[in-house]
Amino acid sequence: MAAKISSSGGGRYEEEQNAEINVTPFVDVMLVLLIIFMVAAPMAAVTVKVVLPPAVAPPGTNPPKPVYISIQPNGNLYIQDFKTDLSMLGEDLRKQLGDSRNPEKERIFIRADKDVMYGDFMGVMNMLQDNNFYSVALVGEDDN
């Protein structure tokens, strides 16, 4: 808060409040930023001119729908939204994939609750390996 000292009035000095906004520091900061951006902007631009050839790669096929196995804290297993158990996991997973997809090349995503027992998780991993599903991805929650 600024104060203004005035010699008029009763006492030797009388203080009054100054309600004006001092914009000088704001303008100074903005001018410094403007200079920084004016200097940095030409460095970000590519100055070498190149004529790029057209891309002739054939369009890629859409990847197959990913398969998720979910493990709840109580040990319940789900393939996508369908409940299964550990003994039927391999067979139900093959049904879900269909005949056209190779289990050895298929990536299986495992979603497990943070309170799942390690033994339950390892049981699922071992059952996947016993049924030739070797590519496994673990799904976690991103902190962002």
Side-chain angles (χ1 to χ4, degrees), residues 32-49:
V32 168
L33 288 175
L34 178 66
I35 292 170
I36 290 171
F37 288 128
M38 287 174 56
V39 170
M43 293 179 195
V46 177
T47 57
V48 178
K49 301 294 183 200

Side-chain angles (χ1 to χ4, degrees), residues 69-80:
I69 295 177
S70 301
I71 309 171
Q72 292 183 327
N74 58 6
N76 288 342
L77 289 176
Y78 291 87
I79 300 175
Q80 305 293 65

Side-chain angles (χ1 to χ4, degrees), residues 13-112:
Y13 293 108
E14 190 175 308
E15 293 183 22
E16 297 177 14
Q17 287 188 353
N18 183 3
E20 295 177 11
I21 297 174
N22 188 359
V23 296
T24 305
F26 175 72
V27 172
D28 289 344
V29 169
M30 294 308 293
L31 287 174
V32 168
L33 288 175
L34 178 66
I35 292 170
I36 290 171
F37 288 128
M38 287 174 56
V39 170
M43 293 179 195
V46 177
T47 57
V48 178
K49 301 294 183 200
V50 176
V51 178
L52 297 173
V56 293
T61 59
N62 289 338
K65 183 179 176 186
V67 177
Y68 290 95
I69 295 177
S70 301
I71 309 171
Q72 292 183 327
N74 58 6
N76 288 342
L77 289 176
Y78 291 87
I79 300 175
Q80 305 293 65
D81 294 329
F82 305 104
K83 189 171 181 176
T84 186
D85 61 357
L86 192 58
S87 63
M88 296 295 294
L89 182 63
E91 184 178 325
D92 289 344
L93 198 52
R94 288 182 198 285
K95 285 180 190 175
Q96 187 77 349
L97 289 174
D99 295 333
S100 62
R101 293 165 78 174
N102 184 1
E104 292 182 7
K105 296 183 180 178
E106 192 64 39
R107 175 166 287 169
I108 307 298
F109 293 88
I110 298 180
R111 301 171 55 236

